[in-house]
Amino acid sequence: MRTADVDRPDAAPARTARGAAPANERQMRLALMQTALGYWRSQILFTAFQFGVFDALAGSPMGAESLARRSGTSLGLTTSLLDGCVALGLLKKADGRYENSATARAFLVEGTPQYMGDWVRFMAHCYEPWSHLAETVRTGKPTTVMRPDAPGAEVTTRALILGMHDYANGPGSEMVRHLDLTGRRRLLDVGGGPGTYSMMLVRKHPGLSAVVVDLPSVVKIAAELIAKWDLEGRVSTRAGSYLTDDLGTGFDVVLLSNMLHQEDPEAVKLILRKAHGALVPGGLLVIQAAFLDANKAGQTWAVLMSLQLSLFYDGGRNYSIDETLAMVRAIGFANPEVKRMSLVNSDSLILATKPAP
Amino acid sequence: MSTEDKIAAFVEKMTAEGGTKITAETSLLDSGIIDSTGILEVVSFIESEFGIRVQDEEIVPEHFENVRFIAAFVESKKKS
């Protein structure tokens, strides 16, 4: 059996002894190589970002020498790194000087409306745990458990929470368009991280206020963002653990956005039960997540992210829509509905109602 | 070459499996022929090939489920 056939036995006719490789085999080889070399690209981006290349080039074009002097790096390899960025379309080069590409200008310069730099910084933090994938698969346990409140976790926590903010405020913002909360007054954002969805939802719905519940070190960052968005009157924070602390009562909406995936199924059921308890009759449960396909081997983003979750959270994983619906129904929610968003959005929504007694 | 044929040829080319014959009705999304990450390749192809501009909110299953739907979407965009 040829190597390329191992994963896809039905993929392609065997190459004939005398014939050239068929076009689809060339494509398969290229796809395999791109998978094997993926980290080259990540590291070039992370390293250039770490040395502040994109912010430095926000103004006028610069030569490698100025950039190397600025970041205290070697001239020869700074040049190579910058050329690597050019090859990846992150920078442009003319007359020996470098400038940001349209991608870098839109997403990698601090202060731009679509800034993704914090998210890139968080992904750079994830590189090291990914290098322990084999160990994690062998033992079934993460080698580095993400504990936002642990001593020394401040830098990673900040990167994670600001990264989540960039994501929610950028590609994740679509959910706000799909969610009609007209007439609802109080929203509880459980494990809400930066609180970005709460902020976007109260901006859309003038009568709505929100409470973001998360660990103390996380809500501290959320409070900064809420102040920055000038929403202190409408979005508040509460420090606590959604697993062990009381979530309160009387909420019209409970939002569980991309947080159930940190937990194993037993904890997910516990959270859903607590969400049920926090809602008024007729209240709305909103789950946003990257759901797996029924066979759990797609969609690509959800599957790969599920592996990443297992690197950080003991029992963490993505769930399929069917699994989630079954848990939602078992807890006593009614009329669960799946809302798929645009195809560029890897997340979907599950909405369900707490029935009147 | 019709709009449908051009789109089908592109989709066939972009699938690493190759060998998959794409008809106008082949479901691209459920069958996993195109993943959500691959859809953007199709979007940029139809933008450059047919001179249209696709908004994020238009990238929905109703427009991209199969080659026939994509072609119909392209034709409606060309008229508007």
Side-chain angles (χ1 to χ4, degrees):
Chain A
M1 185 180 267
R2 291 167 303 136
T3 341
D5 282 351
V6 172
D7 292 332
R8 299 182 177 279
D10 57 348
R15 189 199 303 211
T16 55
R18 266 179 274 170
N24 56 9
E25 200 166 283
R26 281 202 297 275
Q27 274 177 283
M28 286 190 287
R29 188 188 298 122
L30 182 63
L32 174 67
M33 289 172 68
Q34 281 171 341
T35 299
L37 304 178
Y39 66 94
W40 291 12
R41 292 163 186 262
S42 315
Q43 279 300 348
I44 290 170
L45 168 63
F46 296 159
T47 307
F49 187 81
Q50 183 191 325
F51 288 132
V53 166
F54 307 107
D55 282 340
L57 293 174
S60 46
M62 287 169 84
E65 207 163 298
S66 315
L67 283 160
R69 205 177 316 118
R70 204 177 160 279
S71 48
T73 49
S74 78
L75 175 58
L77 282 173
T78 300
T79 309
S80 300
L81 178 69
L82 296 168
D83 289 337
C85 289
V86 175
L88 294 184
L90 299 168
L91 296 179
K92 292 195 292 184
K93 185 181 188 179
D95 305 324
R97 290 160 75 80
Y98 298 88
E99 62 179 306
N100 282 335
S101 69
T103 305
R105 278 200 306 276
F107 303 109
L108 296 172
V109 175
E110 189 157 17
T112 51
Q114 299 193 80
Y115 187 57
M116 292 290 286
D118 297 306
W119 185 83
V120 169
R121 188 178 292 119
F122 175 63
M123 287 303 143
H125 275 271
C126 296
Y127 185 82
E128 207 265 332
W130 270 102
S131 71
H132 301 302
L133 180 62
E135 180 64 12
T136 304
V137 170
R138 194 175 294 124
T139 61
K141 298 277 177 198
T143 55
T144 330
V145 176
M146 180 117 55
R147 289 198 183 89
D149 270 6
E154 293 82 6
V155 174
T156 309
T157 301
R158 196 165 182 85
L160 167 68
I161 299 305
L162 294 179
M164 297 306 100
H165 174 68
D166 286 355
Y167 185 85
N169 191 32
S173 62
E174 190 191 352
M175 70 94 92
V176 177
R177 271 212 316 276
H178 290 265
L179 215 49
D180 183 6
L181 302 181
T182 310
R184 316 260 183 190
R185 296 179 52 236
R186 294 183 71 213
L187 179 145
L188 178 67
D189 190 351
V190 181
T196 317
Y197 290 111
S198 285
M199 296 198 285
M200 292 190 293
L201 287 167
V202 304
R203 269 189 179 171
K204 179 183 171 188
H205 298 95
L208 187 70
S209 67
V211 181
V212 181
V213 178
D214 215 316
L215 296 171
S217 60
V218 175
V219 292
K220 208 175 109 202
I221 303 167
E224 286 172 29
L225 293 166
I226 293 164
K228 203 165 153 189
W229 282 35
D230 220 2
L231 286 170
E232 290 114 316
R234 304 195 42 214
V235 182
S236 59
T237 61
R238 195 203 304 155
S241 156
Y242 53 68
L243 291 177
T244 53
D245 291 330
D246 183 23
L247 293 180
T249 53
F251 290 95
D252 302 289
V253 185
V254 169
L255 174 62
L256 305 174
S257 176
N258 281 317
M259 49 72 73
L260 293 176
H261 60 207
Q262 293 168 195
E263 309 295 340
D264 66 22
E266 284 314 306
V268 168
K269 285 180 216 157
L270 172 69
I271 296 162
L272 290 173
R273 213 171 294 125
K274 294 175 86 162
H276 192 273
L279 281 168
V280 297
L284 183 70
L285 171 74
V286 179
I287 300 174
Q288 173 165 251
F291 294 104
L292 298 169
D293 288 349
N295 76 358
K296 301 201 178 181
Q299 302 271 324
T300 307
W301 167 276
V303 176
L304 302 193
M305 184 188 174
S306 196
L307 270 174
Q308 167 151 308
L309 292 161
S310 69
L311 296 170
F312 290 126
Y313 303 109
D314 197 359
R317 76 205 57 188
N318 275 328
Y319 294 90
S320 72
I321 284 183
D322 291 345
E323 282 175 307
T324 312
L325 287 175
M327 291 191 278
V328 164
R329 285 196 188 96
I331 299 302
F333 286 99
N335 309 318
E337 175 198 351
V338 180
K339 253 187 198 293
R340 292 187 188 280
M341 297 184 278
S342 75
L343 296 168
V344 283
N345 193 338
S346 313
D347 289 349
S348 299
L349 300 173
I350 289 182
L351 309 182
T353 313
K354 175 176 175 175
Chain B
M1 221 182 187
S2 71
T3 302
E4 263 185 30
D5 292 343
K6 283 181 188 165
I7 296 166
F10 177 80
V11 173
E12 269 177 36
K13 213 171 75 188
M14 70 176 271
T15 57
E17 298 97 306
T20 316
K21 187 70 196 149
I22 308 284
T23 72
E25 283 93 22
T26 309
S27 165
L28 304 178
L29 305 173
D30 289 343
S31 61
I33 290 174
I34 299 185
D35 202 328
S36 52
T37 47
I39 203 78
L40 288 179
E41 286 184 52
V42 177
V43 170
S44 45
F45 169 74
I46 60 173
E47 283 189 333
S48 59
E49 180 71 28
F50 304 107
I52 57 171
R53 190 86 186 86
V54 180
Q55 304 299 320
D56 274 5
E57 51 265 32
E58 293 174 318
I59 309 175
V60 290
E62 294 86 317
H63 295 152
F64 287 87
E65 178 52 39
N66 60 37
V67 168
R68 179 150 300 156
F69 285 16
I70 303 173
F73 171 64
V74 167
E75 293 303 330
S76 73
K77 289 291 282 185
K78 277 160 72 179
K79 279 185 207 132
S80 65

